[in-house]
Amino acid sequence: MKTKNLYLPLILLGLITWNCSKTMVTNNTPASQVSLKSALTTGVQNLSAAVSSIKASAGYQVVSGPTDLVTKSAVMSPWDTVTNSILLADVAGIYDYKAKSYKRGHMSLMRYFNKTKDTTVMVVRLPEEKVAGSKKMLNYSPSDTLLANNYQITISDYQLKFGHGYGRSYQLASSTKIKGVEAGTLKIQSSKNRTTGYNFSSEYDFPNGFITKCLNIPGDTAVSTYSISDGTKTLYEEKYTAIRTDSVSRHREKEFSLTIGDVVIVRQLGHGQASLDSAKVYVSGVLQLKSKVEIVDDSDNKPGDDSDKCITNHKRELKITFDDGTTKTLTELTGAVITNIRDLFTAMRQAYFGTAIVDWIAWDVYTKK
């Protein structure tokens, strides 16, 4: 009996302690109750740190390098209906930068890359000092013999197909090392023809774990996507989808979304696709009822700009009204981050210097066949 009396207070004490613990856990603010302003501030801080890390990496030198090297191209007759192709097997080998002069008729010319070894992939090696634009690479100096070929591009996939009736399709996968240090991997797919227009996708995986992707698909349903992620976590993603009823009408926005960390802003066509709904804001998947987002398009947009109205390419701005009634634009909230993101994706949409070198050598090999 005494034993039972002794257990009873212990049981009551345990129940009280459990209830207190339960109350303490319940009173903690869960992720779903974090304010929009707090969540957006955290998301911008993480995004800013990521962009700073990307800009400081060796991979950023590859992405943001010069784009002034003019790629050679083959001359085709307008009556040529044959589809031509240059594949990895056609250009496989190690190509070292070693300028040599040679004669073609009465002309004295320079050959800058020479194949030094057969391999199953394509490897291009040149001095880092020459990766500053075509003027430096194509300007030979006797002192160049003292430079080390310490900038290496390894191409594991290469497909270039072209023809008057076919258009052009391009695919490349490569990795870069600068002075023996990994600088990331690049994947590009693009195509251009009269039927589908210009399709482009690009992905760069930086050695510090960040991944940047951009996608542009034209047509009656046009899609543009820009994203930055850290492994599986999305730090930034902007997606714009526009539709048109025929090939001559202008695109109309179907859906727009912007993700920064745990904050997602979405605007879609309303019922019956008559007009756009108001933008909705979510924090960790929870709809914010007291917050408001206004999407302001650039008044300078011209016809043809309506298939890619994105913040990333300077085409729109967001005005955000928080729960407390204060209002800020996205540019004010993010500062230099959005500008840096714009620069990054502008570079990703342009031709890379390293890619231009690979294409340059590929055309040279092709035209000698």
Side-chain angles (χ1 to χ4, degrees):
M1 199 70 172
K2 288 182 180 179
T3 304
K4 289 183 179 179
N5 290 336
L6 180 62
Y7 282 160
L8 183 60
L10 291 174
I11 292 170
L12 291 173
L13 179 62
L15 288 171
I16 293 170
T17 303
W18 180 81
N19 280 323
C20 288
S21 300
K22 184 181 178 184
T23 302
M24 289 174 67
V25 171
T26 304
N27 289 337
N28 285 337
T29 305
S32 61
Q33 294 181 17
V34 174
S35 70
L36 172 61
K37 182 177 285 187
S38 177
L40 197 52
T41 299
T42 300
V44 170
Q45 288 173 346
N46 292 337
L47 181 60
S48 179
V51 173
S52 295
S53 180
I54 287 172
K55 289 189 69 175
S57 70
Y60 192 74
Q61 180 182 338
V62 179
V63 174
S64 61
T67 60
D68 65 338
L69 182 63
V70 179
T71 303
K72 299 178 182 179
S73 60
V75 177
M76 293 185 294
S77 164
W79 293 277
D80 185 359
T81 58
V82 176
T83 300
N84 304 274
S85 63
I86 307 175
L87 305 178
L88 180 62
D90 300 318
V91 295
I94 296 178
Y95 298 83
D96 283 306
Y97 184 88
K98 189 175 182 181
K100 291 182 178 180
S101 61
Y102 68 98
K103 290 281 188 180
R104 179 176 289 175
H106 297 290
M107 294 187 297
S108 181
L109 303 173
M110 294 291 295
R111 177 173 290 117
Y112 294 93
F113 288 93
N114 293 275
K115 187 175 180 180
T116 57
K117 189 176 180 180
D118 290 325
T119 59
T120 56
V121 295
M122 181 184 187
V123 180
V124 179
R125 301 189 296 207
L126 69 158
E128 184 187 12
E129 292 83 353
K130 292 291 182 179
V131 186
S134 61
K135 290 182 180 179
K136 280 200 172 183
M137 198 187 81
L138 305 180
N139 185 15
Y140 173 73
S141 170
S143 61
D144 288 350
T145 56
L146 302 176
L147 300 176
N149 284 338
N150 53 11
Y151 191 104
Q152 178 174 304
I153 308 164
T154 301
I155 297 88
S156 56
D157 183 19
Y158 189 86
Q159 297 181 42
L160 173 58
K161 296 182 180 180
F162 55 95
H164 282 291
Y166 176 83
R168 184 180 186 274
S169 66
Y170 183 82
Q171 185 170 313
L172 175 139
S174 68
S175 61
T176 303
K177 284 185 180 180
I178 304 173
K179 294 181 179 179
V181 178
E182 296 287 350
T185 60
L186 167 68
K187 297 176 185 176
I188 296 176
Q189 284 189 320
S190 67
S191 64
K192 185 177 183 180
N193 58 59
R194 295 174 183 175
T195 305
T196 61
Y198 181 61
N199 291 261
F200 178 81
S201 66
S202 176
E203 175 182 332
Y204 199 93
D205 295 12
F206 291 85
N208 50 17
F210 297 109
I211 301 171
T212 57
K213 296 180 181 180
C214 64
L215 171 71
N216 296 107
I217 301 174
D220 292 337
T221 299
V223 180
S224 294
T225 305
Y226 306 92
S227 69
I228 301 173
S229 61
D230 182 6
T232 58
K233 182 173 178 57
T234 300
L235 303 175
Y236 178 90
E237 182 182 72
E238 184 178 21
K239 185 175 182 180
Y240 180 87
T241 304
I243 57 174
R244 63 183 179 187
T245 55
D246 54 63
S247 60
V248 295
S249 62
R250 295 186 63 178
H251 282 88
R252 286 199 313 127
E253 180 178 329
K254 179 182 179 183
E255 183 174 353
F256 169 80
S257 66
L258 176 68
T259 300
I260 298 180
D262 292 329
V263 177
V264 179
I265 299 168
V266 182
R267 182 170 74 172
Q268 297 173 314
L269 277 178
H271 180 69
Q273 297 188 348
S275 62
L276 290 164
D277 286 338
S278 298
K280 294 180 174 62
V281 191
Y282 300 85
V283 175
S284 298
V286 178
L287 178 64
Q288 305 299 292
L289 300 176
K290 296 181 180 179
S291 301
K292 178 184 175 183
V293 174
E294 182 183 355
I295 299 175
V296 183
D297 287 336
D298 185 350
S299 59
D300 293 332
N301 277 349
K302 300 178 179 62
D305 292 343
D306 51 0
S307 63
D308 190 8
K309 287 183 179 178
C310 292
I311 296 166
T312 306
N313 60 8
H314 305 263
K315 298 293 175 62
R316 59 179 28 171
E317 176 66 280
L318 299 185
K319 289 177 66 177
I320 304 171
T321 302
F322 297 100
D323 295 359
D324 58 9
T326 59
T327 300
K328 290 279 187 181
T329 66
L330 185 67
T331 301
E332 290 172 336
L333 288 166
T334 57
V337 177
I338 290 296
T339 301
N340 291 333
I341 289 173
R342 286 168 176 167
D343 293 342
L344 172 63
F345 284 110
T346 296
M348 290 187 70
R349 287 195 300 266
Q350 294 174 344
Y352 300 84
F353 185 74
T355 305
I357 292 173
V358 173
D359 295 342
W360 198 54
I361 295 172
W363 278 116
D364 197 44
V365 171
Y366 173 80
T367 53
K368 285 179 182 176
K369 278 189 174 183

